[in-house]
Amino acid sequence: MISPAERYAAARDAASHPETAEFAARQNFDLDPFQVEGCHALERGNSVLVAAPTGAGKTIVGEFAIHLAMRTPQDKAFYTTPMKALSNQKFRELVDVYGADQVGLLTGDTNINGNARIVVMTTEVLRNMIYADSAALADLRYVIMDEVHYLADRFRGAVWEEVIIHLPSQVRLVSLSATVSNAEEFGDWLDTVRGDTEVIVSEIRPVPLEQHVLVRDDLLPLFDDRAGVATATVNQELMRIRSFTGSRYDSNKRAQSYVSGRHAGRQSPRPQRGGRRPVRAASAQRIERMDRPEVIRLLERTNLLPAIFFIFSRVGCDAAVQQVRRSGLRLTNAEERAEIRELVEERTRSLQDEDLGVLGYFEWVENLERGIASHHAGLLPAFKEVVEELYRRKLVKVVFATETLALGINMPARTVVLEKMEKFNGEARVAITSGEYTQLTGRAGRRGIDVEGHAVVQWTEGMDPQAVAALASRRTYPLNSSFRPTYNMAVNLIDMFGRPRARQILESSFAQFQADRAVVGLARQVREAEESLAGYVSAMHCEHGDFLEYAGIRRELSDLEKKNRQDSHAPRAARDKRMKRIQSLRTKMQRHGCHGCPDREAHARWAERYWKLKRQTDRTRAQIETRTGTVARVFDRVVEVLATLDYVTGTGDGTTLTEAGRTMRRIYGERDLLVAESLRQGLWKGLDAPSLAAMACCLVYEPRRDEANSGERGLPRGAFRGAYEKTTALWSELDDLEQDHHLPGSEPLAAGLAGAMHAWARGALLDRVLVDADMAAGDFVRWAKQTIDLLDQLSIVAEDADVARTARQALDGVRRGIVSYSSM
């Protein structure tokens, strides 16, 4: 029952925000306060930043923006995501609401109804549309940027800032972010560059999260039930377990009985006599971990399925599935297995029969019918989509996944299990961060289904419950810009706005905004230091002369004498010169009026404080100098490189693009300059389609850190090798040029996948190509699609008609079989 006052308030709210009220009435659940607040902001005509936990329902605010657009005769709404999988998912959801004729999808390799009033796309597609001044931008009213915290990504993050800065001013922006600790700072920047932007932060999970530690077969709470997460008071039982597992017990039996809970009230054994520390005895205190099948059975018995097990290794995910399969565990009934087979056959019908065996299709289907699956980047996209759909339908009950699943895919679980609290980052094993922990465990708890979600951390040897509790109690992480000007960005900005205006635009980036905010703090430090320095000068005031000058002489003399003692092996001429200066300073000091002051040493102590603080202040001033205008200075260096290579001409207001610069406008990617120069110099003339596909692959492929450099081994023969050598030599020249202009340069070309891509474009069978590539099918498809993106650009921008035609042929050669699969 609600009170009359509450009914009156609700009626008044509905009257003042009728669109929100109508939209809310169409939902099958009540909107949360932060969702209502976000809708109200849009209805008032403002942009909005919504930062809320994973699974909280941020996208409702974006869907309301689409609702507002569709209430008018012509307004459009674009929904951008960081990943094609997310775009595909959102496209299907919106088609269900508005119909296929009103919704489009643009993801680079998929183009469906691109002129629709609602278009779902990857963020890069929107950036390219803005630079191309696409006609599709007409009547654009709302842009929803899902997972906007991706702008911190060091490889792709700049794209988000480019879009935010360059969108037409009349477009309202709906930014949806995970909970970040500096949402207000990000909102202030959005308000600066986009105008009226309201910041709405919610830290409330719609489904509460219970934290557990699995010790043997006991699910123990991570936090003291009486204290809760807010106080981060760790369950003392876990702390006692940790103390026991680090010491020698009186008997094995005692240690083991403790873990089963029979000695929960006992205190840790005291150190041995003589004050020696307890000695670790592995055989006495090791806590046996449950096998994965047993963990799943435990979760099933306690009604904690479906579950996602996060394993930070693809091989580990696949091995886990095999382990569960060998145990004979089956989580589905006959009716569910029939439904699984039906959906699998429907979604994979377009895959060629000869490829199914290579892809491990039949074993994969058998695992799905047991209710288990793996999910990682090496999995074929078609297979990943099936796993996601079956999980959403509650047919697959357990998924073993890498952390990539946590990035926005709609696969909520009742329980998330973390087997380890560290992962391999390519160089070393490192502990997961609080942000990663929050992102992973955020999958637990299905809104409208579960009363609570569950996060289970499996006990490992050496685990510190306090460290786990610290991760679990910190819900936020900072959002930091990764923005940097690129060659393509520079030519587009100069062409659209001219160089001075382009420089001003870049100074409005979030990167510069954050740097300037840091400068504010540094400048305050300098002001405070200057006041202290003035006080020191006053304290060392001497009636016999300028003590600051005298102190400077003493300091220089002291430094030179110290250097003279340390640098005894210096050339004789250098030492003679130094000694001459030392003698001069001694004479000058002795003749100075302050040298005979009776308070000389008291004044000197103040002078020492002065010089120490001055050194610190000078360093701070240098920091301010390096941060002020940082982005614009990098832009100037980029333009200097472009001018050296004749992509731009003139200076200042007169800077314009040359013909080569206009070509550069349509080349996107990490190697934009290398691609443009290679085309201009005709390095790829005479290549056939498979060889051009292999060359494009060399430009986009990024080998894993542990992958050995294959050198010349496996390179396609014929004209490719000469073109590859010339392109590599050109890369080296450009890298030297960038270094000369204090730019970071780029990595050398990677030819590790060239042979496999050449064979694939030539029509080779999948099994041979995957053997040549020595990689999983999903990885090959990902690099093939990036190769397609570059070939598509070449087919458009190449002025040589033969190269453009060959690029189109190469594109067709690569886009076949599993690479051409689309669920749309």
Side-chain angles (χ1 to χ4, degrees):
M1 289 286 293
I2 61 173
S3 67
E6 289 172 327
R7 281 199 300 271
Y8 173 74
R12 186 177 59 185
D13 186 66
S16 59
H17 298 94
E19 293 292 351
T20 301
E22 180 188 340
F23 177 75
R26 290 167 48 184
Q27 308 306 312
N28 54 13
F29 57 88
D30 292 335
L31 297 189
D32 290 337
F34 85 90
Q35 294 170 327
V36 172
E37 192 179 347
C39 294
H40 285 177
L42 288 172
E43 194 168 354
R44 286 192 290 268
N46 295 333
S47 293
V48 64
L49 166 64
V50 181
T54 300
K58 298 182 289 290
T59 55
I60 281 291
V61 182
E63 289 165 10
F64 178 66
I66 295 172
H67 166 81
L68 290 177
M70 297 305 284
R71 298 280 290 173
T72 68
Q74 75 285 335
D75 283 351
K76 292 180 180 179
F78 288 172
Y79 196 108
T80 74
T81 76
M83 294 182 291
K84 294 176 183 179
L86 278 175
S87 294
N88 293 342
Q89 183 176 297
K90 200 66 195 177
F91 171 75
R92 287 191 288 265
E93 292 174 5
L94 291 172
V95 165
D96 289 341
V97 176
Y98 293 100
D101 60 326
Q102 296 289 350
V103 186
L105 176 67
L106 298 173
T107 60
D109 58 351
T110 304
N111 186 336
I112 300 174
N113 200 17
N115 292 318
R117 290 181 59 196
I118 306 168
V119 186
V120 184
M121 62 186 69
T122 51
T123 316
E124 281 86 354
V125 170
L126 179 53
R127 186 272 311 272
N128 298 351
M129 290 171 67
I130 291 172
Y131 281 159
D133 196 21
S134 170
L137 297 173
D139 299 320
L140 180 61
R141 178 62 177 163
Y142 297 98
V143 167
I144 300 99
M145 301 193 79
D146 204 352
E147 309 284 344
V148 74
H149 50 273
Y150 256 78
L151 69 76
D153 184 271
R154 68 190 185 97
F155 296 110
R156 300 173 57 207
V159 175
W160 274 256
E161 291 192 47
E162 288 179 79
V163 169
I164 292 169
I165 291 170
H166 298 311
L167 273 174
S169 58
Q170 71 273 15
V171 175
R172 298 291 87 189
L173 194 64
V174 182
S175 305
L176 308 177
S177 171
T179 308
V180 292
S181 52
N182 59 335
E184 286 76 12
E185 177 187 44
F186 183 48
D188 287 347
W189 174 68
L190 288 172
D191 193 70
T192 300
V193 296
R194 300 294 318 161
D196 297 330
T197 300
E198 298 189 32
V199 180
I200 297 162
V201 178
S202 173
E203 296 186 8
I204 300 173
R205 279 179 52 96
V207 181
L209 183 64
E210 295 291 325
Q211 310 270 355
H212 312 273
V213 177
L214 178 59
V215 184
R216 281 247 183 106
D217 58 353
D218 284 349
L219 274 176
L220 302 178
L222 174 59
F223 294 100
D224 189 323
D225 291 338
R226 294 164 297 178
V229 177
T231 58
T233 302
V234 180
N235 185 347
Q236 291 305 300
E237 192 173 349
L238 291 173
M239 297 305 295
R240 285 192 291 271
I241 292 173
R242 182 174 188 251
S243 66
F244 284 155
T245 56
S247 307
R248 172 175 288 151
Y249 298 111
D250 292 335
S251 70
N252 290 357
K253 185 176 181 180
R254 178 181 177 186
Q256 294 171 359
S257 65
Y258 171 81
V259 175
S260 64
R262 290 194 288 270
H263 291 269
R266 296 192 183 183
Q267 294 183 356
S268 304
R270 292 183 179 181
Q272 301 169 4
R273 288 184 181 179
R276 288 181 296 174
R277 296 176 63 83
V279 179
R280 199 183 193 297
S283 61
Q285 76 286 351
R286 179 181 293 278
I287 295 177
E288 297 296 332
R289 286 166 61 94
M290 292 180 74
D291 288 339
R292 290 185 182 110
E294 291 305 314
V295 176
I296 294 171
R297 290 189 178 100
L298 171 64
L299 297 178
E300 186 179 27
R301 286 196 306 271
T302 50
N303 196 29
L304 293 180
L305 294 181
I308 298 172
F309 285 66
F310 281 110
I311 300 173
F312 303 112
S313 154
R314 301 176 184 185
V315 174
C317 290
D318 293 335
V321 171
Q322 295 308 315
Q323 181 186 7
V324 175
R325 180 186 178 193
R326 287 193 300 270
S327 75
L329 185 65
R330 190 181 293 277
L331 303 171
T332 56
N333 57 37
E335 183 180 338
E336 289 172 327
R337 290 194 288 275
E339 190 176 346
I340 289 170
R341 280 194 299 274
E342 182 181 352
L343 187 138
V344 169
E345 290 171 2
E346 175 194 336
R347 290 293 184 89
T348 62
R349 189 174 295 122
S350 63
L351 297 177
Q352 298 174 17
D353 292 342
E354 63 266 25
D355 292 342
L356 296 181
V358 179
L359 298 169
Y361 172 85
F362 303 103
E363 185 177 301
W364 174 67
V365 173
E366 184 181 336
N367 292 330
L368 291 177
E369 291 182 1
R370 290 179 177 273
I372 57 176
S374 62
H375 189 289
H376 54 72
L379 206 61
L380 192 69
F383 286 11
K384 281 198 290 187
E385 290 177 14
V386 169
V387 170
E388 292 159 13
E389 180 63 24
L390 290 175
Y391 194 83
R392 284 193 290 270
R393 292 192 188 186
K394 308 173 194 173
L395 297 171
V396 164
K397 314 298 173 69
V398 172
V399 170
F400 297 96
T402 56
E403 65 267 39
T404 55
L405 185 144
L407 301 176
I409 299 295
N410 182 22
M411 279 182 65
R414 176 165 292 174
T415 304
V416 162
V417 179
L418 299 180
E419 294 188 347
K420 294 182 179 178
M421 301 299 289
E422 61 179 21
K423 66 176 184 177
F424 185 69
N425 66 359
E427 296 177 350
R429 299 206 69 81
V430 296
I432 64 173
T433 65
S434 60
E436 289 168 334
Y437 184 91
T438 301
Q439 192 81 17
L440 296 170
T441 57
R443 293 281 135 211
R446 299 166 299 174
R447 185 168 187 163
I449 302 174
D450 298 322
V451 177
E452 60 193 15
H454 297 267
V456 176
V457 176
Q458 199 163 4
W459 185 275
T460 55
E461 194 173 359
M463 175 183 285
D464 180 4
Q466 291 277 19
V468 178
L471 291 177
S473 58
R474 281 200 298 268
R475 297 291 185 200
T476 58
Y477 50 96
L479 179 61
N480 294 314
S481 173
S482 60
F483 184 83
R484 62 179 180 83
T486 65
Y487 298 106
N488 170 271
M489 186 193 303
V491 293
N492 273 290
L493 289 176
I494 290 171
D495 190 52
M496 294 170 71
F497 305 108
R499 184 172 178 178
R501 174 72 179 131
R503 208 173 186 277
Q504 292 173 8
I505 288 171
L506 291 174
E507 287 179 334
S508 69
S509 67
F510 187 44
Q512 192 59 56
F513 186 82
Q514 288 189 307
D516 289 344
R517 286 212 160 185
V519 165
V520 170
L522 293 172
R524 184 170 59 249
Q525 292 177 29
V526 169
R527 285 196 302 273
E528 292 170 355
E530 285 173 343
E531 292 175 6
S532 298
L533 289 170
Y536 295 159
V537 169
S538 177
M540 72 175 86
H541 174 72
C542 179
E543 295 178 355
H544 297 273
D546 185 346
F547 201 90
L548 189 58
E549 180 185 68
Y550 176 75
I553 297 170
R554 277 181 46 144
R555 169 166 290 278
E556 185 182 356
L557 178 59
S558 175
D559 290 345
L560 282 174
E561 288 176 337
K562 182 179 178 181
K563 190 172 183 180
N564 206 39
R565 289 192 298 271
Q566 294 175 343
D567 196 16
S568 58
H569 300 294
R572 183 179 180 86
R575 283 188 285 122
D576 288 346
K577 183 178 180 181
R578 190 183 302 138
M579 283 303 301
K580 186 176 181 180
R581 177 60 179 167
I582 288 173
Q583 192 57 49
S584 172
L585 287 171
R586 283 176 181 163
T587 302
K588 190 174 183 180
M589 181 183 70
Q590 291 166 359
R591 291 177 178 175
H592 198 285
C594 294
H595 190 66
C597 176
D599 299 320
R600 183 183 67 193
E601 294 309 311
H603 293 162
R605 285 192 290 273
W606 286 109
E608 188 59 33
R609 296 177 191 176
Y610 174 90
W611 288 110
K612 184 177 180 180
L613 181 57
K614 187 176 185 303
R615 275 201 309 271
Q616 294 173 352
T617 306
D618 288 344
R619 284 197 294 267
T620 305
R621 285 197 180 98
Q623 281 184 276
I624 292 174
E625 179 63 28
T626 58
R627 295 191 182 200
T628 305
T630 305
V631 177
R633 279 202 300 274
V634 174
F635 171 73
D636 289 338
R637 293 169 192 159
V638 166
V639 174
E640 287 168 10
V641 170
L642 291 170
T644 301
L645 297 171
D646 197 33
Y647 284 88
V648 299
T649 184
T651 58
D653 292 341
T655 303
T656 57
L657 303 188
T658 63
E659 190 61 37
R662 282 187 282 277
T663 299
M664 168 80 78
R665 287 189 62 219
R666 294 172 291 170
I667 300 174
Y668 302 98
E670 290 288 313
R671 300 192 184 276
D672 45 10
L673 183 60
L674 179 58
V675 171
E677 273 295 281
S678 297
L679 287 175
R680 187 162 68 159
Q681 295 184 23
L683 302 187
W684 302 334
K685 281 185 177 182
L687 291 180
D688 59 12
S691 296
L692 188 56
M695 182 62 68
C697 181
C698 292
L699 292 162
V700 300
Y701 178 56
E702 296 171 11
R704 297 169 69 93
R705 294 181 186 179
D706 56 352
E707 183 177 315
N709 189 350
S710 61
E712 297 295 310
R713 182 173 54 81
L715 287 182
R717 299 184 181 278
F720 173 85
R721 295 204 173 194
Y724 177 76
E725 290 172 0
K726 291 177 183 177
T727 307
T728 300
L730 174 60
W731 165 82
S732 181
E733 293 172 10
L734 294 178
D735 191 64
D736 290 343
L737 181 61
E738 288 175 318
Q739 299 289 345
D740 291 343
H741 286 82
H742 307 290
L743 292 171
S746 59
E747 293 295 317
L749 274 68
L753 196 54
M757 194 61 67
H758 185 273
W760 178 254
R762 209 172 60 240
L765 295 177
L766 179 63
D767 57 350
R768 178 200 156 178
V769 169
L770 293 184
V771 169
D772 289 348
D774 189 25
M775 65 174 52
D779 291 321
F780 178 76
V781 169
R782 185 170 74 257
W783 293 120
K785 289 193 172 184
Q786 292 199 31
T787 300
I788 286 171
D789 286 343
L790 179 53
L791 289 170
D792 189 36
Q793 292 181 44
L794 297 181
S795 70
I796 296 169
V797 303
E799 295 181 1
D800 186 293
D802 290 337
V803 173
R805 183 169 53 253
T806 304
R808 287 190 290 273
Q809 294 168 353
L811 192 153
D812 291 337
V814 177
R815 188 190 284 149
R816 66 180 182 85
I818 61 171
V819 176
S820 65
Y821 168 85
S822 173
S823 64
M824 293 300 104

